[in-house]
Amino acid sequence: MGKTVLVTGSSRGIGRAAAIYLAENGFDIVLHYNKGLEKVLEVKKLIEETGREVRVLQFDVSDREAAREALLKDIEAHGAYYGVVVNAGVTADNPFPAMEDCEWDKVINTNLNGFYNTLHPIIMSMIQNRKGRIVAISSVSGLTGNRGQVNYSASKAGIIGAVKALSREVAKRNITVNCVAPGIIESDMTSEIPAEIVKELVPLKRMGTAREVAGAINYLFSEDAGYITGQVISVNGGMYQ
């Protein structure tokens, strides 16, 4: 077995693309999902076709005990992960004055607490191995803010701060920690954004693809990126430079 990477939220979108891209470049993959077994099994089949090892974990990243139990059990059975892509996330958009408590809590608990709930149970095993790569998915919203997304922007900005601090803590153990911050990426969530709005906001005049984001993630896992840590790489077509 080669180097193993856990990708959270890997049944669709950026997580799916990242898992496949990393497998194509020689990594064994641990797929994670909360809902949507059929979709994650499709990804598993595609990775098996690359010849890499792959297995599947199911838990809710916002459920601390469930995440800890599943991750520690997997590490005990298979050994420490070489790397992690902290990708699982949700949105619950609403103007701040109208935002419901549940909308705030759902986004913070999944996106920001999910960072802690995923990494905290496994970080010591990576430290003991004295090597590893961590990539967390932030967003252009975490860099600039976005109307109607105070909860989402807060969670994604929090991830950037956490990455910068964690990168300093684990650098001496040869573990790099970075962020990838996508802009407007083709997905179910962006399918209703009018083309003229995209052209107005994005200098490259188009949405990005999940594969393009996955390319940046894969680069941060490559040997060439061994001296990059604590950084935010924006994949946004030139937005808000």
Side-chain angles (χ1 to χ4, degrees):
M1 181 176 288
K3 295 177 178 177
T4 299
V5 178
L6 166 69
V7 184
T8 67
S10 49
S11 64
R12 59 191 178 91
I14 291 169
R16 177 184 188 277
I20 294 169
Y21 207 126
L22 289 166
E24 290 171 349
N25 284 273
F27 293 95
D28 296 328
I29 303 297
V30 179
L31 299 170
H32 158 267
Y33 78 107
N34 183 25
K35 298 177 182 178
L37 176 60
E38 183 176 339
K39 289 184 178 181
V40 82
L41 290 179
E42 291 174 2
V43 183
K44 182 175 182 287
K45 181 179 179 182
L46 290 171
I47 292 174
E48 287 172 340
E49 291 172 358
T50 71
R52 305 312 308 174
E53 297 289 331
V54 58
R55 59 186 184 271
V56 177
L57 297 182
Q58 189 276 329
F59 58 88
D60 181 350
V61 297
S62 69
D63 184 332
R64 185 162 297 157
E65 291 306 317
R68 179 180 289 114
E69 180 180 356
L71 291 166
L72 291 178
K73 182 178 180 181
D74 190 59
I75 290 171
E76 183 178 358
H78 301 282
Y81 307 131
Y82 171 71
V84 185
V85 180
V86 184
N87 167 74
V90 297
T91 58
D93 297 351
N94 214 349
F96 190 70
M99 187 167 288
E100 301 285 344
D101 291 352
C102 61
E103 292 171 329
W104 177 270
D105 291 341
K106 177 181 179 181
V107 172
I108 297 298
N109 287 339
T110 301
N111 298 359
L112 186 53
N113 290 346
F115 175 95
Y116 177 88
N117 297 343
T118 299
L119 290 179
H120 194 256
I122 64 182
I123 193 68
M124 278 306 301
S125 62
M126 296 178 70
I127 288 170
Q128 289 165 357
N129 275 0
R130 302 183 69 87
K131 62 181 180 180
R133 302 290 171 90
I134 296 169
V135 177
I137 306 303
S138 181
S139 169
V140 66
S141 293
L143 290 167
T144 67
N146 195 27
R147 294 178 63 182
Q149 288 193 320
V150 174
N151 52 359
Y152 186 74
S153 295
S155 70
K156 292 301 187 177
I159 286 173
I160 291 172
V163 160
K164 287 181 176 293
L166 182 59
S167 70
R168 291 177 175 270
E169 291 190 10
V170 299
K172 63 185 178 181
R173 295 293 188 259
N174 197 33
I175 299 170
T176 66
V177 190
N178 292 287
C179 266
V180 171
I184 303 175
I185 306 300
E186 292 176 357
S187 68
D188 294 340
M189 290 190 296
T190 60
S191 61
E192 296 184 3
I193 299 177
E196 58 268 23
I197 297 297
V198 174
K199 290 180 180 179
E200 179 182 344
L201 292 175
V202 183
L204 283 181
K205 306 300 182 185
R206 65 174 178 85
M207 294 186 187
T209 67
R211 179 80 178 179
E212 288 171 320
V213 180
I217 295 168
N218 181 72
Y219 169 68
L220 290 170
F221 274 85
S222 72
E223 294 298 323
D224 290 341
Y227 200 55
I228 298 174
T229 195
Q231 304 304 306
V232 181
I233 296 181
S234 295
V235 184
N236 62 23
M239 295 174 68
Y240 309 121
Q241 292 187 10

